[in-house]
Amino acid sequence: MMNVRLKNGNEVTIKEATKNDAQQMINFYNVVGGETDFLSFGKNEFNRDVEEYKKFIDSTSLEQNSIILIATLKDEIIGIASINSSQKDRTKHVGTLGIVVSEQLVGQGLGRKLMEELINWATSNRVTKKISLVTREDNTFAIELYEKLGFEKEGLLKKDNFINGVYYNTLVMGLFI
């Protein structure tokens, strides 16, 4: 667990998620899904059974090459960042990164801090050799951050998302450790 100060002066706690965070995490995802179209789900589309999600969090915490971090402000989740990896020998060296920050805190340095924590963790876990992520091709704010942290563009999935009657391309990015 660590505390970090954001650009706006707020002190945020970053810690590894536990099954006790499951309901609050589901609630957070369902709210932020409505704040942006850059996620793979919309408002109230993160349909997970709480007990199943608790099991998912528990099993993830047992994997040497997977982690879920949550960021809280006054005990409210304001960001979730994770690396999930296969347990298969051929692909366990690749972790897939996902990150969501509450809309009111975008631009305050939280996304960068969460990404740096994940990269540091991946560098030290002795399994992960590559971190992959996907983002919408027009998500320039996020792409700029990813590139500053060393991610490279690897490819484009054309018309990969369909939102409000419009097709969007998905950019695939990777960081080699």
Side-chain angles (χ1 to χ4, degrees), residues 14-133:
I14 297 174
K15 70 178 189 84
E16 192 169 348
T18 69
K19 66 181 176 187
N20 297 335
D21 301 309
Q23 185 62 65
Q24 198 181 357
M25 290 169 72
I26 293 169
N27 296 348
F28 173 78
Y29 278 135
N30 279 315
V31 169
V32 293
E35 293 179 347
T36 176
D37 282 335
F38 288 130
L39 300 177
S40 60
F41 53 88
K43 183 177 182 162
N44 296 321
E45 286 185 352
F46 192 79
N47 300 317
R48 296 291 194 282
D49 174 77
V50 179
E51 292 307 313
E52 288 298 313
Y53 204 62
K54 284 180 180 181
K55 289 176 188 165
F56 168 73
I57 293 168
D58 269 348
S59 67
T60 300
S61 71
L62 297 174
E63 296 171 3
Q64 188 181 350
N65 57 350
S66 298
I67 191 170
I68 304 170
L69 298 177
I70 59 170
T72 58
L73 176 64
K74 298 183 176 91
D75 295 324
E76 285 293 312
I77 294 178
I78 55 167
I80 301 175
S82 62
I83 291 180
N84 287 296
S85 303
S86 168
Q87 299 309 298
K88 296 175 185 160
D89 283 340
R90 293 180 181 191
T91 55
K92 69 182 179 186
H93 67 285
V94 180
T96 302
L97 187 145
I99 183 168
V100 184
V101 172
S102 184
E103 186 177 46
Q104 73 256 23
L105 289 156
V106 169
Q108 296 301 314
L110 179 59
R112 173 184 274 276
K113 197 69 196 159
L114 287 166
M115 296 278 298
E116 288 171 349
E117 283 304 305
L118 288 176
I119 292 167
N120 289 340
W121 171 85
T123 303
S124 66
N125 74 18
R126 295 195 178 109
V127 179
T128 306
K129 302 296 178 215
K130 177 183 178 181
I131 302 172
S132 291
L133 63 81

Side-chain angles (χ1 to χ4, degrees), residues 4-12 73 108:
V4 296
R5 191 162 303 282
L6 302 183
K7 291 177 185 173
N8 64 9
N10 284 334
E11 190 165 298
V12 172
L73 176 64
Q108 296 301 314

